[in-house]
Amino acid sequence: MGPYASPDQPRRTPAMDTLRALVPDSADVIRVRAATPTAATSWAWTRAEVIGAYQWPPHEGEPLHSLDHPVDDSTHASLTVCEFLTTHQHAASLDRAGDATYTFSVRLSRPRWEDWVDA
């Protein structure tokens, strides 16, 4: 990240790239759901799934555009999301917390309208 890069722009890291590999290339935001860590799992993330992939809308304030992406609850997706949450949970926004699951959003890219403000 250079001196003029925005701190809001998600950095290209191996961890982010592993999440990007789970969704279509055009995805800007993904939502993941993970089983709540418990004492039985040594407070570790052990089960997770990708529940959606989205693109930023053209204008601020509009809803995200859902991409046609089925829920991915494969073992590979679960291990990838759990590893990401274990090491980079600070990069995910908590959307919902329940007794059994947590739902997070992860920004893969900046909204286009933020680029217009910087120009």
Side-chain angles (χ1 to χ4, degrees), residues 18-31:
T18 60
L19 288 182
R20 280 187 179 92
L22 298 175
V23 295
D25 291 339
S26 58
D28 296 316
V29 176
I30 65 169
R31 287 213 171 104

Side-chain angles (χ1 to χ4, degrees), residues 4-116:
Y4 301 106
S6 168
D8 295 327
Q9 178 64 34
R11 292 180 47 194
R12 296 282 315 193
T13 64
M16 280 291 193
D17 287 343
T18 60
L19 288 182
R20 280 187 179 92
L22 298 175
V23 295
D25 291 339
S26 58
D28 296 316
V29 176
I30 65 169
R31 287 213 171 104
V32 298
R33 181 172 40 224
T36 303
T38 64
T41 63
S42 300
W43 304 107
W45 299 104
T46 57
R47 287 180 301 140
E49 60 189 352
V50 176
I51 58 174
Y54 306 87
Q55 283 184 321
W56 293 115
H59 304 286
E60 189 172 7
E62 295 177 1
L64 293 170
H65 296 257
S66 180
L67 297 175
D68 187 23
H69 181 72
V71 170
D72 186 351
D73 61 356
S74 66
T75 300
H76 173 70
S78 181
L79 290 171
T80 301
V81 172
C82 288
E83 182 177 339
F84 180 85
L85 291 174
T86 298
T87 57
H88 302 289
Q89 184 177 336
H90 63 277
S93 300
L94 180 63
D95 292 336
R96 190 174 308 131
D99 291 340
T101 62
Y102 283 72
T103 304
F104 296 94
S105 291
V106 182
R107 283 174 52 153
L108 301 176
S109 65
R110 268 173 66 155
R112 288 165 211 62
W113 62 81
E114 286 184 5
D115 293 334
W116 301 334

